[in-house]
Amino acid sequence: MSCLEPHRKRAFGPPAIVPETVTLEAQDMPGLRPVACVEEGAEVALGTPVMHDRARPAIRVVAPVAGRVVRVETGLGRRVIRVVIRPAGPARAAPVRAVGDTRELMLIHGLWCDLRTRPFDRVPDPEVRPKAILVNALDGAAVAAAQAAPFALGHGLRALCRLTDGPVILCQHGGAALAPAEGRVELDTVAPRHDGMAHRLRRLCSVAHGGEVWTLDAQTAIALGRLCGEGLFDPTRLVEIVTPMGEVAGLRQAPLGADLAEALKEAGWTTPATRPLRRNESRIDPRHDAVPPPDGALGPIVPVPALAATLPMRLRAIPLLHALQIGDAETARRHGCLDLVEGDMRAASAICASGADYGALLRRVLDELEGER
Amino acid sequence: MRDGSVTALRKRAARDATALRLIALAPPAVILFLRAPGTAWPHALAVVTAALACALIFAELRGRGPIFEVLVPALLMVLFAPPEAAPWQLALALSLALVLGALVFGGAGFGFLSTGALALALLAFSFPPLAAVVPETPVLWAALPGGALLLLAGLAPWRVVLAGAAGFALATGAGGSGFAQGAPLAVLLVYFAADPFGAPVTGPGQWLSGLMVGGLIALLGAAGGPGFDMSAGVFAVLLAGLFAPLIDAGVIAVADWREGVSHG
């Protein structure tokens, strides 16, 4: 890891996954039209651009490992779907020439695609300045990574301050502060165990009445900090794997896009298919990967408090779910759906008896609202 | 997950709503069958047949729908209908209530009224002397644990129950309410006023609706002399249920206005 960290907790970190293949999905660049910039069979080095946005080529995805491109799948109009790389060796951080400001660094090293906007959950436009940046240190993998690299996290947070005129807020679940709060870096250490980024956003800087906020995972901030502070490009991320019983099987370290099938089999999953580590994914839970129910007619919403508590909308939670079910975008916007993204709706879909996939319903409404802008 | 059992119950409550509500109603029904088998069995046979028939016909017509939710109002009907009512009268009132209160809207949960209260009110409308009655004391006792289960699971909004009791106490002057008044009031509030589909869904709305139910019970029951009148209670619930969507809309409009003020 880093040579600047004075006292690292673990000498070698969690066990690393050495994948057979690394798959970079174009789905991980929501809102963009990615095109491939490598050919099948080409050799790529760590950090070589693999795909970029057609309209803004500066936004790009880079190779997380050195190896050979074995497949480039494209769809209509040269639009790339995924790029598969066979790594030549294990992924590890490598020294790079880190020049330029935060924006350039993040664009050059493919970290920009880890940023997401709220509303709409898109990769942000580099020209925009958000009103705040929220850093997600809510899950186990992010906390473990932050505890192993507090200096890099601090560096990263300070670097992020240059992207916004507002605060950079590190969101964590109680516990000791993972990074010092200084300057425009703020900490949000409210303790409830089951709230998510949507609750924090709603409370700290809601975008329901306009404005744009960016969110990113703490591990991306650490990667950025390492890039600025030590000149190291680290393409690996920690990931928490959950067994089918719902217990945490443990942390693993894997490069972005690594095939996790082997690790999942060890965790007791019955039929793990090829399952690449997606961008910003730090927890693999079989219950989240479950296939959504076939869409027949939806049942009634039973308005229980447990359902309302999954959303940060307080008294508007049930009316919002009603609006999503009937696809009423204007009412949903009035109830604050701009603060939400698909991932926030998982708990509601699991608890609600209607069988609705609220993630998909929300996406439909958000697409409609985005089109109206 | 390391959730406690209560948390697990509350998370499962929405999916198992029908089962939980039937479990809550099972003990009083059993006691009723043991104490008055002569009237309870024909009543139960009539209402369950009518309810399932309506639900089946609508399920067939729409090609969808679980049908067992209709057993909840059916059981409420058996428990609270007057013993002198004929089985066909109960069946008729319940069928009408189910069709008008739930099935034409798309099934249980899509309507906006408590179907049990609607059925009892329709019975009183259609056959005037047959007003809802307070069941016998052992039956009331047996209904209380089920009520606690519903409150715990979140299937009966507690704010409605609390505000209903407060409203009744305020309107009647809070005097002299022992078990004879308290238990029937509690049962009425939990099983009828705090119907998950009939009550408002916003917190302040639930308080308002509960206060309204409590006040109306006292107001409507005052004509029949002091004490608790089940029939008045049923009408109070129905009236408050009619206002529930309006109350929710009002609460949200006020919240919108306040947010608008604070955001400029």
Side-chain angles (χ1 to χ4, degrees), chain A residues 193-194 202 209 245-246 287 297-306 315-316 318-319 325 334-335 349-353, chain B residues 1-3 10-11 13-15 17 64 69 108-110 153-155 196-197 201-204 251-252 255-256 259 263:
Chain A
R193 259 189 64 221
H194 295 291
R202 181 93 181 159
H209 298 278
M245 305 305 294
R287 290 163 301 173
L298 298 180
I301 296 174
V302 185
V304 291
L315 52 88
R316 298 146 178 282
I318 305 288
Q325 272 208 1
R334 202 159 57 84
H335 290 320
S349 303
I351 287 180
C352 185
Chain B
M1 298 291 270
R2 284 169 295 155
D3 289 333
R10 289 170 74 87
K11 279 190 174 172
R15 289 185 181 274
R64 62 177 268 190
E69 287 111 328
F110 289 105
L155 281 172
F197 304 119
V201 293
T202 57
V251 166
I252 288 177
D256 271 347
E259 271 179 32
H263 283 89

Side-chain angles (χ1 to χ4, degrees), chain A residues 105-120:
Chain A
L105 275 178
M106 290 187 81
L107 284 168
I108 290 170
H109 296 283
L111 295 176
W112 194 265
C113 295
D114 290 6
L115 290 172
R116 290 288 180 275
T117 63
R118 298 222 184 192
F120 308 126

